[in-house]
Amino acid sequence: FLSLVAQFCCGFFVILILGNFWFLAVLYLLWLYLDWRTPCAGGRRSQWIRSWTVWKYFREYFPIHLIKTSELNPNHNYLLGFHPHGVLVAGAFGNFCTDSPFKNLFPGLTPYLHIMPIWFGCPFFREYIMSAGMVSASKESVSHVLNNKGGGHASVIVIGGAEESLNAHPGSLTLNILKRKGFIKMALKHGAHLVPVFSFGENELFKQVANPKGSWLRNVQEKLQKIMGFALPLFHARGVFQYSFGLIPYRQPIHTVVGSPIPVKQNLNPTTEEIDQLHALYLQKLKKLFEEHKSNYGIPAHKSLIFE
């Protein structure tokens, strides 16, 4: 979805350049130059855009639910690890980038969804995603959010990244997380409490072409992901008036469960051992969250998370 909107915005910008409105394109390029660092400095959210009625229909389509399991004290800053990526990341967008129940469930907290910096280089599109509350996933950006002295900020990071979308098959419970420890280091350096978040149903929205590890398709996808910075899963779902084939996601309920916070004491120079220790604790809490709630959302008792 984001990719399609981004392509439309880039196409519109090209039309301005090639048409009789090239001077508008020049003015926008000047604005882009002056505003380049904003995605790393908290963005520029708009409550009006986050409250558009279309997002209410978006959340109700699946529908998307946000489940609270513990209080989050707004006097602290938090780093929410979102799992899994899925193809669309619908749970993350619906819950943290729209006027969702989040503000009522967690009063005093402002969520910032961190996405790949490449998206903020797209003309016009960058303005929209910032207005929705999205910011860059760069270290500078995460530090800016978590450095709020009064607390009340929540960085939301999709830990598995674009690479994990290649595992987004219905029923898949594989998370790319064992080598991803940067978010742990950021939490330690800023003393931000860690909160595991698991979004049940995220992988059920699309069917993806079989791409087991080692297959030629998976090798091509992984190489393209390393070159471009984002993955290209080959997926399909339903159409507008039929359910057999199309790019519209299936109407499968999404339950985004926000776990209990893991208290983190600020450590400006954490050692590798300290990072590994907190990472292991995070995995333990994430697995516990999944096991406690999986029976509520149709996951068979014998199935568990797979970390790789």
Side-chain angles (χ1 to χ4, degrees):
F1 175 74
L2 288 180
S3 179
L4 290 175
V5 178
Q7 290 176 37
F8 173 81
C9 291
C10 288
F12 179 70
F13 185 70
V14 171
I15 291 174
L16 288 181
I17 294 176
L18 299 179
N20 295 325
F21 303 97
W22 59 267
F23 61 94
L24 293 178
V26 172
L27 288 176
Y28 183 79
L29 285 175
L30 176 59
W31 162 256
L32 194 63
Y33 173 77
L34 296 174
D35 194 56
W36 189 252
R37 303 308 306 167
T38 302
C40 295
R44 186 170 47 247
R45 71 178 55 218
S46 165
Q47 186 58 36
W48 175 66
I49 291 179
R50 288 170 60 90
S51 300
W52 280 353
T53 302
V54 66
W55 304 134
K56 176 178 178 289
Y57 292 132
F58 174 82
R59 294 193 304 271
E60 292 178 350
Y61 171 81
F62 298 97
I64 296 174
H65 305 278
L66 185 65
I67 292 86
K68 173 183 178 180
T69 65
S70 179
E71 296 291 338
L72 297 183
N73 190 332
N75 293 326
H76 299 295
N77 292 316
Y78 297 88
L79 195 159
L80 278 60
F82 184 92
H83 313 270
H85 185 287
V87 171
L88 189 62
V89 206
F93 177 82
N95 286 310
F96 306 118
C97 296
T98 70
D99 193 20
S100 75
F102 183 90
K103 65 179 181 180
N104 295 323
L105 292 176
F106 303 101
L109 281 185
T110 302
Y112 295 82
L113 179 61
H114 296 270
I115 64 175
M116 292 183 297
I118 189 174
W119 294 114
F120 295 97
C122 179
F124 302 115
F125 180 66
R126 69 188 296 274
E127 316 304 334
Y128 160 67
I129 56 179
M130 279 196 289
S131 67
M134 294 181 234
V135 292
S136 173
S138 66
K139 292 180 181 179
E140 178 187 356
S141 177
V142 177
S143 292
H144 180 89
V145 173
L146 297 181
N147 207 31
N148 189 42
K149 300 302 181 183
H153 280 189
S155 279
V156 183
I157 301 178
V158 184
I159 305 300
E163 182 182 356
E164 193 174 83
S165 67
L166 300 178
N167 290 328
H169 296 271
S172 174
L173 296 172
T174 301
L175 303 181
N176 291 52
I177 193 172
L178 291 181
K179 295 181 180 179
R180 296 178 181 265
K181 301 179 182 180
F183 73 104
I184 298 291
K185 187 175 182 179
M186 293 300 293
L188 281 166
K189 294 184 74 171
H190 294 280
H193 296 351
L194 282 167
V195 182
V197 178
F198 195 87
S199 196
F200 291 90
E202 201 75 45
N203 284 339
E204 318 306 315
L205 306 185
F206 296 92
K207 292 180 180 178
Q208 190 172 167
V209 175
N211 60 342
K213 287 199 171 183
S215 65
W216 69 268
L217 176 58
R218 186 59 169 259
N219 291 335
V220 170
Q221 288 175 320
E222 290 177 346
K223 288 179 180 178
L224 288 175
Q225 190 264 326
K226 290 179 180 179
I227 295 172
M228 299 185 298
F230 55 89
L232 292 173
L234 299 179
F235 59 88
H236 66 88
R238 55 163 290 184
V240 178
F241 301 109
Q242 43 76 28
Y243 290 83
S244 57
F245 189 81
L247 296 179
I248 297 176
Y250 293 115
R251 298 192 70 175
Q252 295 290 336
I254 297 172
H255 295 86
T256 303
V257 183
V258 181
S260 301
I262 303 170
V264 177
K265 185 177 181 181
Q266 187 173 25
N267 184 347
L268 296 178
N269 296 293
T271 64
T272 301
E273 290 74 20
E274 290 169 329
I275 293 173
D276 289 343
Q277 183 178 12
L278 183 55
H279 186 261
L281 177 60
Y282 179 86
L283 294 182
Q284 177 186 331
K285 295 295 185 181
L286 174 60
K287 187 171 184 179
K288 180 182 178 183
L289 177 70
F290 174 81
E291 293 294 332
E292 288 178 346
H293 294 272
K294 67 180 183 181
S295 62
N296 297 331
Y297 308 117
I299 307 296
H302 68 277
K303 285 200 169 187
S304 297
L305 293 179
I306 300 173
F307 298 142
E308 65 174 29

